[in-house]
Amino acid sequence: MVATALGAARFVFPDLKTLLAKASPPRSGDCLAGVAADSAQERVAAQIALADLPLATFLNEVVIPYEDDEITRLIIDRHAAAAFAPVASLTVGSFRDWLLSDAATDTSLAALAPGLTPEMVAAVAKIARNQDLILIAAKCRVTTRFRNTIGLPGRLSARLQPNHPTDDPQGILASVIDGLLLGCGDAVIGVNPALDSPQRCGELLRLIDDLRQRLDLPTQSCVLTHVTTTLQLIGEGAPVDLAFQSIGGTEATNRSFGIDLALLREAHEATLSLRRGTVGDNCMYFETGQGSSLSAGAHHGCDQQTLEARAYAVARAFRPLLVNSVVGFIGPEYLFDGKQIIRAGLEDHFCGKLLGLPMGCDVCYTNHAEADQNDMDILLTSLAVAGVTFVMGVPGADDVMLNYQSTSYHDVLATRQMLDLKPAPEFADWLTSVGLMDERGLIRPEALPARFLPLLS
């Protein structure tokens, strides 16, 4: 139990779960769950108490009981005490100060990552300004590889997302070609199938893999279907590059998705066994989102940002190529407006990077949220400054199959140009070789590359 006096008021927080929830910046999902601070005064009191809490507390007290939740067991059992030792004596507040200091370098942060728990980094995020979240995350470098190298300094990758409301092959190919001509697709060419059947997903996999081979593309493809479907497709000999799955921060959330850690382990091993990577073997792609546990009735009274950070412990166990917070997709019940979406996107990226993940973000919102594309411009630019690994490239920023707003191919181009960022090196070399990238590193096609002409016949 922690008590804090603020002026004439005295606030009592009976356990770690309550303290973390009350210290969270305002968001509609925590209000919906009944765990948010009742006033700004209570929130500040909780943040003060949290700042004074020793980091070691998180190794002795858990937000969900060890015996009830396999994610808690994963976090505790895999904690690296030796990696944690350099900061073991710090409080949450002094840890924030250390992260902002010159002692926190890309090398020291990489060494520290296995010693941090999700709840530790969630706690730091709760007492950090947006600027802190950006500055600290920008120090973290996480590099992964499959057919290209993702996450290097000075690089910004993009998932090319060519979704189609009827999975029409010509429509998908048109979107893919459009995205490639505008320099997107180095993170992955990833399709959300409208019809999530093994037959349809297999057809889409073969469609994109055929295009990849015809263009000699140094990238990877993925059909974002359930992991059990991917396992079936692997058994049938389909060209699976990456295994995809949405994940959450509690065992019950993952059960609602139809998965557990054992199933993810099976999918990882099966995808690894295909040996389709050419420069590396990071072969998992995970997506997350604040509010998923609450929407599944599986939040155990915890706040949504802490549970989102716990989902990253699941991802970290499988050495993924990509992890993506689909930050505004779940809707205004969980992140009400542009301000809450921006804050959540920066928190998610910060927590994922500190935990050693190749963190990307779908900078997005639903049509019934109090947000617009100007809010997304702010978040996209802030994340790029913070060193985000990848973002989305969607035709016109409007996903006509999933019915939400994201970022466009042109948004990726603009961000790269503003901040002098390039695609993954192997992909950049390909863009140069086919005449799509000029000597300044800008995408300036003067004509349709000859390699594309057979695709239009």
Side-chain angles (χ1 to χ4, degrees):
M1 183 176 71
V2 178
T4 301
L6 195 63
R10 184 174 184 271
F11 298 92
V12 177
F13 309 103
D15 52 32
L16 182 60
K17 175 170 62 178
T18 303
L19 179 61
L20 288 167
K22 299 292 187 181
S24 289
R27 62 209 56 202
S28 52
D30 290 341
C31 293
L32 180 65
V35 302
D38 293 327
S39 65
Q41 190 178 26
E42 184 181 29
R43 181 175 299 108
V44 170
Q47 289 171 339
I48 291 171
L50 186 60
D52 290 338
L53 196 71
L55 282 181
T57 304
F58 295 92
L59 301 177
N60 301 315
E61 182 178 350
V62 295
V63 297
I64 302 173
Y66 181 93
E67 59 275 12
D68 295 344
D69 187 88
E70 69 172 353
I71 312 307
T72 300
R73 295 193 290 273
L74 176 73
I75 291 166
I76 297 301
D77 294 349
R78 292 206 176 189
H79 180 255
F84 179 61
V87 298
S89 64
L90 301 181
T91 63
V92 173
S94 58
F95 182 44
R96 169 190 168 273
D97 293 342
W98 182 85
L99 289 169
L100 289 167
S101 76
D102 292 338
T105 64
D106 57 349
T107 302
S108 62
L109 289 171
L112 179 63
L116 299 177
T117 70
E119 291 85 353
M120 290 177 191
V121 298
V124 176
K126 294 175 193 299
I127 64 168
R129 293 171 51 194
N130 286 1
Q131 185 182 81
D132 299 338
L133 299 175
I134 294 169
L135 176 59
I136 294 167
K139 299 181 182 186
C140 300
R141 283 294 157 195
V142 181
T143 305
T144 56
R145 296 173 175 85
F146 191 76
R147 288 200 188 92
N148 57 29
T149 307
I150 296 172
L152 293 171
R155 307 281 173 169
L156 173 63
S157 293
R159 170 188 162 191
L160 201 166
Q161 184 170 307
N163 296 345
H164 191 279
T166 64
D167 290 333
D168 178 69
Q170 294 303 311
I172 290 172
L173 283 176
S175 294
V176 173
I177 292 169
D178 187 24
L180 292 173
L181 292 173
L182 292 170
C184 291
D186 54 330
V188 65
I189 300 174
V191 181
N192 297 89
L195 181 62
D196 196 15
S197 69
Q199 179 181 352
R200 179 60 57 83
C201 292
E203 291 169 352
L204 293 176
L205 278 171
R206 287 185 286 272
L207 176 75
I208 300 172
D209 194 62
D210 176 68
L211 177 68
R212 179 189 65 80
Q213 293 188 62
R214 292 171 69 180
L215 293 176
D216 195 25
L217 279 169
T219 192
Q220 36 282 330
S221 63
C222 185
V223 172
L224 282 68
T225 185
H226 193 270
V227 69
T228 52
T229 304
T230 300
L231 280 167
Q232 179 177 336
L233 291 168
I234 290 173
E236 295 172 356
V240 173
D241 288 343
L242 308 180
F244 166 82
Q245 184 57 50
S246 295
I247 55 174
T250 72
E251 179 179 343
T253 306
N254 289 327
R255 194 182 306 121
S256 76
F257 292 150
I259 62 167
D260 57 19
L261 294 177
L263 182 59
L264 292 177
R265 194 172 301 114
E266 181 184 355
H268 184 216
E269 292 171 356
T271 311
L272 268 178
S273 71
L274 300 179
R275 301 184 183 276
R276 290 176 58 84
T278 55
V279 299
D281 65 355
N282 301 112
C283 61
M284 300 296 284
Y285 176 14
F286 294 115
E287 285 191 346
T288 67
Q290 287 196 27
S292 61
S293 293
L294 176 58
S295 69
H299 62 295
H300 295 271
C302 298
D303 70 273
Q304 64 187 40
Q305 188 254 335
T306 297
L307 293 183
E308 172 72 5
R310 282 171 55 97
Y312 304 152
V314 178
R316 183 167 62 173
F318 300 99
R319 301 191 303 110
L321 180 76
L322 306 167
V323 179
N324 178 35
S325 165
V326 193
V327 65
F329 183 74
I330 301 181
E333 300 85 354
Y334 307 97
L335 295 170
F336 180 72
D337 56 15
K339 184 174 183 178
Q340 290 189 10
I341 292 171
I342 290 167
R343 173 70 189 189
L346 294 175
E347 289 170 349
D348 295 350
H349 178 251
F350 167 90
C351 291
K353 280 292 184 66
L354 274 183
L355 291 170
L357 289 173
M359 204 66 201
C361 185
D362 190 344
V363 177
C364 64
Y365 63 101
T366 57
N367 291 317
H368 61 311
E370 292 294 324
D372 59 27
Q373 213 63 34
N374 289 324
D375 296 315
M376 300 305 102
D377 290 344
I378 293 170
L379 179 54
L380 174 60
T381 305
S382 298
L383 285 169
V385 173
V388 70
T389 300
F390 71 105
V391 294
M392 302 299 112
V394 177
D398 184 359
D399 192 305
V400 295
M401 192 275 280
L402 293 175
N403 293 309
Y404 78 114
Q405 309 302 310
S406 185
T407 48
S408 71
Y409 306 142
H410 297 85
D411 292 329
V412 175
L413 284 183
T415 305
R416 284 174 176 165
Q417 184 171 346
M418 281 188 298
L419 299 175
D420 192 25
L421 300 171
K422 303 295 186 295
E426 298 89 346
F427 196 81
D429 291 344
W430 178 84
L431 290 169
T432 302
S433 70
V434 299
L436 291 173
M437 181 180 283
D438 66 17
E439 66 279 358
R440 299 168 296 170
L442 301 176
I443 305 296
R444 295 292 186 269
E446 297 182 359
L448 188 68
R451 198 174 297 182
F452 283 74
L453 294 176
L455 302 174
L456 306 180
S457 59

